[in-house]
Amino acid sequence: MRMKTALGLDVGGTQIKAGLVTQTGQLLARWITPTGEGGPALLSRLVSLIGQVQIETPSDRQPVGIGIGVPGPVTEGRVHGCVNLVWGEVAVEEKLRQATGLPVRAQNDADVAALGEWWVGEGRQCTSFLFVTVGTGVGSGLVQQGRVWTGAHGAAGEIGHFTVRPEETAVCTCGNRGCLEQYASASALLDWANRFGGTYASAQEVMQGAKSGEISAQQALAQMTDTLGIALAAMANGVDPERIVLGGGVSQAGEFWRAKVAQAFVAHAFGPVKQTPIRLSQLKNDAGMLGAAKLILDEI
């Protein structure tokens, strides 16, 4: 008997993750490949990866469709600029559909990760919740009544580009100054720790340094968690979610990091919003693949 599956693609700045997912949210298999060069070459790499999945998947488990999450705003199947992927306007659904013959649905990567976490992760049984992913960049998705709120321009949840320090002179990748991503992403944590006098090679090293009491690492981490807490409070004050879930690579630092973010959130949130629980992702790096697959499974 044929098992109904979909392929969920999660396109990041350094890796593309692909997962074969059932209707019940079971991840049957995963593939990972470097993102590599952006622009037109990336579309070819995606098509090659899809082909690899089809070759390596038994006939009774072949995907009936493809969902894809990309780091940028998406409306009507078109990506409207992904700085990290060197994409401007790309009709990603149409191009992948033409190349594979399968139905395709595309959405912002943080949005699909939020959908995955709501479906089979920490957001289960929530009527509304905010998912925030902190890694190479910072993004978020808001799920209400089982649907992701994308906004009028597909840019809802771009928390990484909240202006948190208008006095900042350095320019963000988006072209503005003082964005949250310049203070709260993994790359920002590393950069600031070294500016404060450290000699770290990765954000993970900074986190370990902070746990060990190293001053430069602790200063950078405090800046990160305080600024992220302020941004989360502003977001929660506006939409009042039932729960906030933290995911992305930085969340692997666990309770040590979560507690500091939560403390800053409580200090800046409004009245009853302070009670909003802040939890860590259950699905971790699988959330994007699962949510992307859910996009297409809901339609087929």
Side-chain angles (χ1 to χ4, degrees), residues 241-300:
E242 183 179 341
R243 186 178 300 171
I244 297 172
V245 178
L246 302 176
V250 173
S251 70
Q252 313 236 357
E255 179 61 18
F256 173 75
W257 175 73
R258 187 212 64 83
K260 293 180 183 298
V261 175
Q263 183 179 19
F265 169 82
V266 169
H268 296 282
F270 167 73
V273 177
K274 293 178 184 291
Q275 302 172 27
T276 308
I278 296 180
R279 300 180 182 175
L280 295 170
S281 166
Q282 286 184 12
L283 302 181
K284 304 188 186 320
N285 289 331
D286 292 342
M289 291 183 289
L290 287 157
K294 177 68 169 169
L295 283 177
I296 199 72
L297 286 168
D298 279 346
E299 297 190 10
I300 295 176

Side-chain angles (χ1 to χ4, degrees), residues 28-39:
L28 298 176
R30 61 166 62 81
W31 294 259
I32 300 176
T33 189
T35 303
E37 183 182 353

Side-chain angles (χ1 to χ4, degrees), residues 24-283:
T24 58
Q26 182 184 3
L27 183 60
L28 298 176
R30 61 166 62 81
W31 294 259
I32 300 176
T33 189
T35 303
E37 183 182 353
L42 179 55
L43 282 168
S44 298
R45 196 168 297 111
L46 288 169
V47 173
S48 295
L49 178 58
I50 294 165
Q52 179 186 349
V53 170
Q54 291 173 317
I55 290 171
E56 296 178 5
T57 300
S59 58
D60 62 343
R61 295 188 175 188
Q62 285 291 318
V64 297
I66 299 166
I68 179 171
V70 297
V74 181
T75 57
E76 298 180 351
R78 296 185 66 88
V79 179
H80 304 289
C82 294
V83 175
N84 292 338
L85 305 183
V86 199
W87 276 1
E89 290 278 334
V90 178
V92 65
E93 286 186 2
E94 180 184 353
K95 289 183 178 297
L96 290 182
R97 184 168 55 246
Q98 289 175 346
T100 65
L102 292 173
V104 181
R105 290 292 175 268
Q107 193 55 267
N108 172 267
D109 59 348
D111 287 343
V112 298
L115 186 60
E117 198 72 44
W118 171 83
W119 184 26
V120 288
E122 189 61 46
R124 278 177 295 184
Q125 300 181 346
C126 286
T127 55
S128 71
F129 92 108
L130 177 65
F131 181 79
V132 179
T133 175
V134 183
T136 305
V138 181
S140 67
L142 178 67
V143 177
Q144 294 180 309
Q145 302 294 337
R147 296 184 66 86
V148 177
W149 180 44
T150 58
H153 307 96
E158 287 290 353
I159 192 173
H161 300 290
F162 276 17
T163 300
V164 291
R165 302 281 180 89
E167 71 278 8
E168 177 62 66
T169 57
V171 179
C172 177
T173 56
C174 74
N176 291 332
R177 292 175 172 82
C179 293
L180 178 64
E181 254 182 36
Q182 294 178 270
Y183 299 89
S185 64
S187 53
L189 178 66
L190 175 61
D191 181 49
W192 281 102
N194 289 335
R195 287 199 213 182
F196 290 143
T199 55
Y200 302 98
S202 68
Q204 186 177 12
E205 281 189 16
V206 177
M207 201 70 73
Q208 288 300 323
K211 289 180 180 179
S212 300
E214 296 168 13
I215 300 301
S216 57
Q218 289 182 330
Q219 288 177 317
L221 182 61
Q223 177 167 260
M224 172 197 232
T225 55
D226 289 351
T227 311
L228 181 57
I230 290 170
L232 290 178
M235 191 83 163
N237 287 350
V239 300
D240 193 15
E242 183 179 341
R243 186 178 300 171
I244 297 172
V245 178
L246 302 176
V250 173
S251 70
Q252 313 236 357
E255 179 61 18
F256 173 75
W257 175 73
R258 187 212 64 83
K260 293 180 183 298
V261 175
Q263 183 179 19
F265 169 82
V266 169
H268 296 282
F270 167 73
V273 177
K274 293 178 184 291
Q275 302 172 27
T276 308
I278 296 180
R279 300 180 182 175
L280 295 170
S281 166
Q282 286 184 12
L283 302 181

